Structure formats: C-alpha cells, structure tokens
Amino acid sequence: MMLRKTTFKLKLILYPFVAAAVAINLFLLFLMFQAVGIPAMPPLTALILAIPLGVPANYLMAHWVQGLIDEAEGRA
C-alpha cells in the first residue's frame, strides 16, 4: 500500500473527530479493564490523553481518507 500525500487542511479538519474517537476508545477500554482490577479512567483524563495520541491516529486516518478521495475521483 502506497501512502499518498495529504493536505494539511484535510488533517486539520479531521483532527477533532479523530481525537474524540481516541478519547472514547480510551475511556471504554479502561471500563473493560475494570474486570481485571484496573480502575476506570475519568473522562477528562481520557480527553487529555487523546490530544497527543490523536496525532498519529489522525495521520493514518487522513491518508486513508485521501485514498478514498483518490479512488472516488478515479486517480487510484
């Protein structure tokens, strides 16, 4: 799979959605970890941790979306 060049604008638009998804997944992951004795993560902590963790996830998501755009426009 070839990584396509994505625009900064696309990455900027997607970041809030990706960071929110990361925060939700972190929160739910730690809710499941309660079954093995790990305490639940507060929602605010999940939001704060999602800020840096959202950057690599956003990079991958932007490249995936750019691939979908290229495919839709017949450039794939």
Side-chain angles (χ1 to χ4, degrees):
M1 180 178 124
M2 186 179 111
L3 289 179
R4 294 161 184 86
K5 183 175 178 176
T6 59
T7 63
F8 180 72
K9 185 177 178 181
L10 178 62
K11 291 177 186 173
L12 194 63
I13 291 169
L14 287 176
Y15 180 76
F17 301 103
V18 173
V22 169
I24 291 167
N25 285 322
L26 273 174
F27 179 71
L28 292 176
L29 178 69
F30 274 85
L31 283 179
M32 288 189 299
F33 280 164
Q34 283 184 313
V36 293
I38 298 173
M41 178 184 290
L44 184 60
T45 305
L47 282 171
I48 292 170
L49 287 175
I51 293 170
L53 292 176
V55 173
N58 186 45
Y59 177 80
L60 294 172
M61 180 62 70
H63 282 286
W64 177 67
V65 169
Q66 186 64 52
L68 293 176
I69 292 170
D70 290 345
E71 184 178 337
E73 293 179 351
R75 291 185 277 179

